[in-house]
Amino acid sequence: MRDPRGVLRLREDGVVRALHAPLASDDFLFHPLARQFVAEEKLVDFSTSSLGSIESPRLPFVSHPDEWADSQLFDAAALTLEICDRLASVSHELKDASAWNVIFDGCRPVFCDHLSFQRIGGPQWWAFGQFVRHFVLPLSVSRWRGMPSSEVFRVHRDGLQPSRARELHGLHRFFTRQWPLMMAAKESNARADRRTATPYHARLVQFLRWQMATLKPRQIPHGGWASYEATRSHYGEASIRQKRSVISTWIENVRPRWVLDLGCNLGEFSMLCAQHGAKVIAADFDPNCIDALYRAQRGNRSIHPVVANLDDLAGGRGWAGWEIPGLPARLAGLSDVVLALGLVHHLAITHAIPLNEVVAFLRQCTQRYVMVECISESDPLVIHLCQQRGRQAAEFSLAGQLACFGQEFRVLESIELEGTERRLLLLENFTKQAR
Amino acid sequence: MRKIITLLWLYLLVLPPAHAYVDPSSSLLLIQGALALVGGVIAFVKHPLEKLRAAWRWLSRKRDA
């Protein structure tokens, strides 16, 4: 929306950038390097059949920097730097170095702003400051202060200002490589250094790579929900195998194109669905879980990891709240199947979301099926959660859950997991089926 | 030299805040030359032979011209 060179229009089958002025014959998009970027899958494919517009294919699902794990932001930064470096060799530069210029095709970052390329006009790189705000400082705050980059972008759409980074780091910033990048501005006009005409770009890329070397996200997921699979004592081996087998059979029978896995944790069932040929949006509120999933699936186009707290999903963002659609709008009606495994009781008890609201949300997200794991009121974990919240376990009876789901869905199959108080349900949305 | 370094540290510690109408990242434009110099040193340290060869070729071109 904000590019002065053109207007972005989203169509069902593609994206069109309608230009205010036609592309010049020497525009970078006609350079062989642009086609090389496309061939290497570093730049979204494009066509310039008319000089007045640029057309690209549209990815069915796109996540945003406030939904990325740190490793995704790090890979997006590495891609941006690689593009900058290779552009500098042909006397071109990126006009802007925003994290929003990168999208993920599954677990693969790809640059999408075709209007960002321009000839180098002077020694300085004007987008350097934006790269620092969008990539270096959020990753620095995550690495040294423990605030995930997704949380930074949730508050700061245009990245982290140096002054804010300075406040968050405090004096600790002097023990990091990033401290020169958090200096305050003393003057309002920054004049280009006219003593040399040699562009700084290649050397600035080297400097930024040196900065990024200390910001690579930690490889080992530390604690919390990231260690759930290793520590779950409420499942025996047999019940886990049974659960995997049931979900696998259902997915095999339903053959979904898209699956939305809510509360995916480390993506155990997301990967199971992907093995059956589905594309999966794997959403979890824990950035460490999504980071571990992304690193394990790096390069895989089938799985789209998303950091999303269902208890606090944002509506639209950006200008007037409509410039950037919120996650519910992007998820609505995309998936054939929604997985809600071991999730409903957390939403209903821990977050006190009324059960009929949970059911309505699941109906909104699915085109047809929901695979849900319901837990009875006599399950020790339900009793424990209710005690913590001062609720009665009887409020979350299995019969009550079934009745609630029954208002929106038809139960196709119900299977009790051995040795547990848990039941897997395959539900079909009968309101959509009636259309 | 020690006095200069000490003064520089004190100066960096007590920098006043930027005005709201100045893009705070604009300060990075002022120091890009210095940061590019650091980048150049890093590039040389990583690939010294390559940089020496490139410098030799540049010098030779200048001499021939």
Side-chain angles (χ1 to χ4, degrees):
Chain A
M1 187 194 88
R2 301 178 189 219
D3 198 314
R5 284 184 66 187
V7 175
L8 190 76
R9 292 199 185 102
L10 298 175
R11 292 192 313 219
E12 198 63 44
D13 57 341
V15 175
V16 178
R17 283 174 177 79
L19 305 174
H20 298 312
L23 286 172
S25 56
D26 63 346
D27 191 278
F28 176 76
L29 293 180
F30 299 116
H31 194 285
L33 185 57
R35 279 294 148 198
Q36 202 172 332
F37 283 154
V38 172
E40 293 170 8
E41 295 172 333
K42 293 181 164 53
L43 177 66
V44 173
D45 197 6
F46 66 93
S47 68
T48 51
S49 49
S50 125
L51 290 179
S53 68
I54 302 167
E55 294 168 21
S56 313
R58 183 176 177 180
L59 294 183
F61 177 78
V62 169
S63 59
H64 299 145
D66 58 347
E67 297 161 346
W68 295 348
D70 286 351
S71 290
Q72 288 175 279
L73 186 66
F74 186 89
D75 286 357
L79 173 67
T80 305
L81 283 182
E82 183 186 346
I83 290 175
C84 287
D85 201 13
R86 292 167 73 178
L87 284 175
S89 66
V90 295
S91 304
H92 279 73
E93 65 179 3
L94 285 178
K95 183 169 72 176
D96 58 332
S98 164
W100 298 83
N101 285 350
V102 177
I103 55 178
F104 277 85
D105 182 6
C107 290
R108 197 184 177 92
V110 61
F111 197 84
C112 67
D113 189 359
H114 298 89
L115 296 180
S116 188
F117 307 107
Q118 65 182 13
R119 279 205 171 275
I120 291 176
Q124 289 162 312
W125 180 30
W126 288 91
F128 176 82
Q130 191 174 43
F131 184 93
V132 168
R133 284 201 314 274
H134 281 240
F135 296 108
V136 180
L137 295 182
L139 285 170
S140 178
V141 160
S142 177
R143 183 75 172 85
W144 306 118
R145 300 282 91 180
M147 178 188 285
S149 57
S150 54
E151 287 183 18
V152 170
F153 275 101
R154 216 162 288 153
V155 177
H156 305 283
R157 187 196 61 80
D158 195 26
L160 194 61
Q161 300 288 2
S163 57
R164 195 79 185 95
R166 210 165 49 243
E167 287 161 11
L168 290 169
H169 279 78
L171 289 176
H172 179 268
R173 68 186 185 274
F174 294 110
F175 297 97
T176 71
R177 288 183 187 178
Q178 289 79 48
W179 70 261
L181 304 174
M182 300 183 218
M183 285 165 57
K186 287 278 284 177
E187 296 176 17
S188 60
N189 37 325
R191 293 190 193 84
D193 186 348
R194 303 240 180 259
R195 284 173 292 172
T196 171
T198 309
Y200 297 149
H201 298 59
R203 287 171 288 161
L204 285 175
V205 167
Q206 291 294 334
F207 174 79
L208 288 170
R209 283 196 173 129
W210 178 69
Q211 288 284 327
M212 297 296 293
T214 60
L215 300 178
K216 194 162 188 180
R218 291 192 187 104
Q219 297 295 310
I220 304 166
H222 41 283
W225 283 101
S227 55
Y228 168 74
E229 271 186 33
T231 59
R232 52 189 172 186
S233 54
H234 43 284
Y235 288 102
E237 275 301 315
S239 55
I240 292 175
R241 274 199 305 272
Q242 183 191 11
K243 185 174 173 181
R244 288 179 61 85
S245 172
V246 168
I247 299 296
S248 184
T249 304
W250 286 350
I251 293 290
E252 182 65 37
N253 293 340
V254 168
R255 295 207 167 274
R257 284 182 56 242
W258 281 88
V259 174
L260 170 61
D261 186 0
L262 296 173
C264 67
N265 194 251
L266 295 177
E268 179 183 7
F269 292 94
S270 303
M271 289 185 272
L272 187 67
C273 296
Q275 282 163 14
H276 287 276
K279 292 208 179 268
V280 184
I281 299 166
D284 199 279
F285 83 104
D286 188 339
N288 289 333
C289 290
I290 296 298
D291 198 88
L293 172 60
Y294 172 75
R295 278 186 272 109
Q297 297 297 314
R298 216 176 226 130
N300 183 348
R301 281 210 176 78
S302 298
I303 296 189
H304 297 67
V306 175
V307 178
N309 184 357
L310 298 182
D311 180 46
D312 186 18
L313 286 178
R317 289 193 65 185
W319 170 251
W322 58 258
E323 182 184 1
I324 302 161
L327 187 60
R330 282 176 279 133
L331 290 178
L334 174 63
S335 305
D336 310 289
V337 169
V338 172
L339 298 185
L341 305 175
L343 175 70
V344 172
H345 61 290
H346 285 293
L347 294 175
I349 304 174
T350 310
H351 298 293
I353 310 294
L355 204 48
N356 60 328
E357 291 288 340
V358 175
V359 173
F361 176 72
L362 294 177
R363 177 178 56 77
Q364 181 190 322
C365 289
T366 185
Q367 289 223 26
R368 193 157 177 190
Y369 298 104
V370 172
M371 297 175 190
V372 66
E373 182 178 357
C374 288
I375 306 175
S376 83
E377 63 272 32
S378 50
D379 184 277
L381 278 182
V382 169
I383 295 168
H384 175 66
L385 284 174
C386 287
Q387 280 172 350
Q388 284 186 328
R389 294 289 183 277
R391 306 285 295 269
Q392 299 298 319
E395 295 175 49
F396 305 98
S397 66
L398 196 55
Q401 292 175 61
L402 287 170
C404 221
F405 277 107
Q407 290 170 12
E408 306 277 3
F409 297 95
R410 183 163 68 97
V411 179
L412 297 180
E413 217 171 320
S414 171
I415 294 177
E416 193 171 328
L417 290 177
E418 302 168 19
T420 72
E421 301 286 337
R422 295 169 181 242
R423 183 173 288 270
L424 292 174
L425 302 175
L426 174 61
L427 307 172
E428 186 179 30
N429 183 349
F430 59 66
T431 56
K432 286 224 166 61
Q433 190 201 18
R435 285 193 202 142
Chain B
M1 186 64 185
R2 204 177 282 174
K3 278 184 188 168
I4 293 170
I5 292 171
T6 308
L7 282 169
L8 191 60
W9 274 106
L10 285 170
Y11 173 74
L12 290 169
L13 281 172
V14 298
L15 278 174
H19 294 295
Y21 51 83
V22 172
D23 176 8
S25 301
S26 67
S27 61
L28 294 173
L29 285 168
L30 296 172
I31 62 170
Q32 268 195 29
L35 299 180
L37 189 65
V38 174
V41 169
I42 292 163
F44 180 82
V45 166
K46 275 186 182 173
H47 306 285
L49 283 176
E50 197 182 297
K51 294 300 172 193
L52 281 169
R53 278 193 211 111
W56 179 256
R57 279 196 298 269
W58 180 76
L59 278 169
S60 305
R61 272 200 302 270
K62 272 201 94 173
R63 207 181 317 127
D64 294 340

